[in-house]
Amino acid sequence: MANICEKLIEQVSSDSAKLSPELQSHVLTCPECQQYLESIKGLKAARKGMSAKEAAAIAGIVGLISKEAAASAAAANASSGGAAGLFGKAVLVVVVVAALTMVAFDKSSEKAPLPANKGINIQTEDSTSQIGSADSEKQSENSFTSTDELAGTNEADNASSTADSSRWQNSAEQDKIDATNSIIVSPDQEDIKSR
Amino acid sequence: MSNEKEFSQLIEETYRSLSFFLRYLGLPEPEVDDMAQEVYIKAYRALDRYDEGRSFKSWLFSIAKNTFIDWTRRQKTQRKFLEQNFIREFSETFEDDANNRSDIRELISKLSAEEQILVELRFFQDLQFKEIAELTGLTVGAVKMRVMRILERMKAGIKREHYGEHL
């Protein structure tokens, strides 16, 4: 077999039209190569067409591919529309937050001016809790009680402070006496003494 | 190739070859249609990763080979290749007596399973020797040698017929 014939076998596939010009001119003069090409043509001509089973299988696969394509197209649309959807969601969230804030402000402004007899000026912590609470009546009662208690405590404090001041005066006088007694003794001297 | 229509056309062109290739690898007959479907869907999903410089058919068959290897791993059983079944199936895709030429079907049925798949991949799918070697696990030299033998036999058959006509 000539080298050129081997080249033809390498190149030959579906039809002779794919042969290079060099090989095409060779085929015209080489009976062996002509027979190779004839045998390939014969092989192709002898092939049956698509069977019903093959056609059904192909139709099934093509159907699946179409569904796949439709699904991916839908997904692409959803993702492109997703940006607009996201913006819409963001706007909705802002609106809801703004509405809630306004409602909260309205409630707080309703609750802020407490009745004068509740004595909010005494305890600021209680007044804060009253603003944030829904059950303001009960809370204000509690705070009222605690204010009374606090007032009582103040009275007691006042009484005790009077007692303390007299005690303080007594102790100051005592300190004066102590100071007069110990004025000549410095701490160092006490140390010396103790030694 | 991103067009669905083009891909459908490709399925029509390659379905028969792909199913014979899967049979050649040793896939049992009841699994062939399902795996062919799996291969096409995989290929369709991976189209964006397809290298344009490579033959599309070669890429498709390499997906088939990998899918088959995965299948054998899942099955954890020794695959059994029934050569006679494959040869019968393959030769039945040829006419008994096409265009009053030599009996190609008989000639095809005498080829080995490897030679038959070479006929399919080389002459009906236009794959290169190198691509066929990668798919079948044969060397490029072995593929060339087998294709030459096939052509010699066919040429001999045609010659005999031609010679007989003139006797």
Side-chain angles (χ1 to χ4, degrees):
Chain A
M1 187 187 289
N3 194 31
I4 193 115
C5 298
E6 283 185 38
K7 273 189 187 174
L8 179 113
I9 290 167
E10 275 188 30
Q11 279 199 21
V12 90
S13 56
S14 58
D15 56 54
S16 55
K18 285 183 179 175
L19 295 178
S20 65
E22 184 200 2
L23 282 176
Q24 278 181 19
S25 59
H26 167 76
V27 168
L28 292 172
T29 56
C30 177
E32 278 207 346
C33 288
Q34 284 174 15
Q35 284 171 353
Y36 282 133
L37 288 177
E38 279 295 307
S39 65
I40 292 165
K41 280 181 186 171
L43 183 73
K44 288 176 176 297
R47 197 71 188 268
K48 282 180 186 173
M50 195 188 295
S51 70
K53 193 191 165 218
E54 285 171 330
I58 290 168
I61 296 167
V62 169
L64 278 172
I65 296 292
S66 300
K67 279 183 188 174
E68 183 84 17
S72 58
N77 284 341
S79 64
S80 64
L86 202 65
F87 178 74
K89 280 178 187 173
V91 169
L92 186 69
V93 167
V94 168
V95 168
V96 168
V97 167
L100 286 172
T101 314
M102 286 175 71
V103 168
F105 266 114
D106 283 349
K107 281 187 178 179
S108 63
S109 58
E110 282 170 11
K111 287 170 189 173
L114 286 172
N117 60 350
K118 301 275 178 164
I120 194 164
N121 55 336
I122 299 170
Q123 185 57 271
T124 47
E125 277 186 18
D126 284 344
S127 65
T128 316
S129 65
Q130 278 171 2
I131 290 165
S133 159
D135 194 0
S136 59
E137 189 61 34
K138 197 173 180 181
Q139 290 238 341
S140 56
E141 277 174 13
N142 289 341
S143 70
F144 198 57
T145 316
S146 64
T147 346
D148 287 346
E149 281 170 2
L150 193 65
T153 320
N154 282 346
E155 280 169 15
D157 279 353
N158 287 341
S160 67
S161 68
T162 318
D164 284 345
S165 63
S166 60
R167 214 180 301 137
W168 182 80
Q169 279 173 357
N170 293 339
S171 65
E173 282 170 10
Q174 187 62 42
D175 287 345
K176 273 182 187 175
I177 296 161
D178 290 345
T180 1
N181 294 339
S182 61
I183 197 155
I184 49 166
V185 183
S186 71
D188 292 339
Q189 287 170 325
E190 278 185 345
D191 286 347
I192 293 162
K193 268 184 181 178
S194 63
R195 278 177 207 164
Chain B
M1 186 192 303
S2 56
N3 194 315
E4 188 193 330
K5 209 170 183 178
E6 280 179 47
F7 195 80
S8 300
Q9 179 67 34
L10 189 101
I11 296 171
E12 284 183 25
E13 284 173 18
T14 56
Y15 180 79
R16 183 180 273 173
S17 287
L18 180 69
S19 59
F20 279 120
F21 180 61
L22 291 171
R23 286 186 185 99
Y24 166 74
L25 291 173
L27 188 71
E29 190 59 34
E31 304 284 341
V32 172
D33 285 350
D34 285 348
M35 191 172 290
Q37 184 176 298
E38 191 182 338
V39 169
Y40 284 117
I41 289 172
K42 274 185 182 176
Y44 187 76
R45 284 177 183 165
L47 271 179
D48 54 338
R49 282 177 290 178
Y50 163 62
D51 176 13
E52 296 281 343
R54 190 179 175 185
S55 151
F56 186 84
K57 287 176 182 175
S58 169
W59 180 68
L60 180 78
F61 282 92
S62 65
I63 292 174
K65 193 177 179 180
N66 290 333
T67 307
F68 173 76
I69 291 167
D70 290 345
W71 180 85
T72 53
R73 281 182 190 146
R74 283 200 303 272
Q75 297 298 308
K76 291 178 183 173
T77 51
Q78 188 93 27
R79 68 188 172 103
K80 282 182 184 174
F81 175 54
L82 301 171
E83 187 162 359
Q84 282 309 309
N85 287 358
F86 171 79
I87 287 168
R88 197 191 64 233
E89 287 271 338
F90 186 75
S91 61
E92 279 177 3
T93 61
F94 291 89
E95 300 285 355
D96 282 335
D97 189 8
N99 303 329
N100 293 320
R101 290 174 185 272
S102 60
D103 193 347
I104 287 174
R105 183 169 169 170
E106 192 187 326
L107 190 143
I108 289 287
S109 65
K110 286 177 183 169
L111 298 175
S112 71
E114 271 172 0
E115 287 169 333
Q116 289 188 358
I117 203 70
L118 297 184
V119 166
E120 186 63 46
L121 298 177
R122 178 66 182 158
F123 299 117
F124 292 98
Q125 295 301 318
D126 297 341
L127 295 191
Q128 300 298 311
F129 287 123
K130 193 186 164 194
E131 293 169 335
I132 296 170
E134 284 170 6
L135 291 170
T136 56
L138 298 169
T139 62
V140 176
V143 173
K144 278 185 186 178
M145 184 63 74
R146 281 166 172 77
V147 169
M148 270 188 199
R149 279 183 197 157
I150 294 162
L151 283 172
E152 283 292 327
R153 278 189 228 173
M154 292 182 67
K155 190 181 81 174
I158 288 171
K159 204 173 186 178
R160 195 167 50 243
E161 186 183 284
H162 186 73
Y163 190 69
E165 277 176 7
H166 289 280
L167 278 175

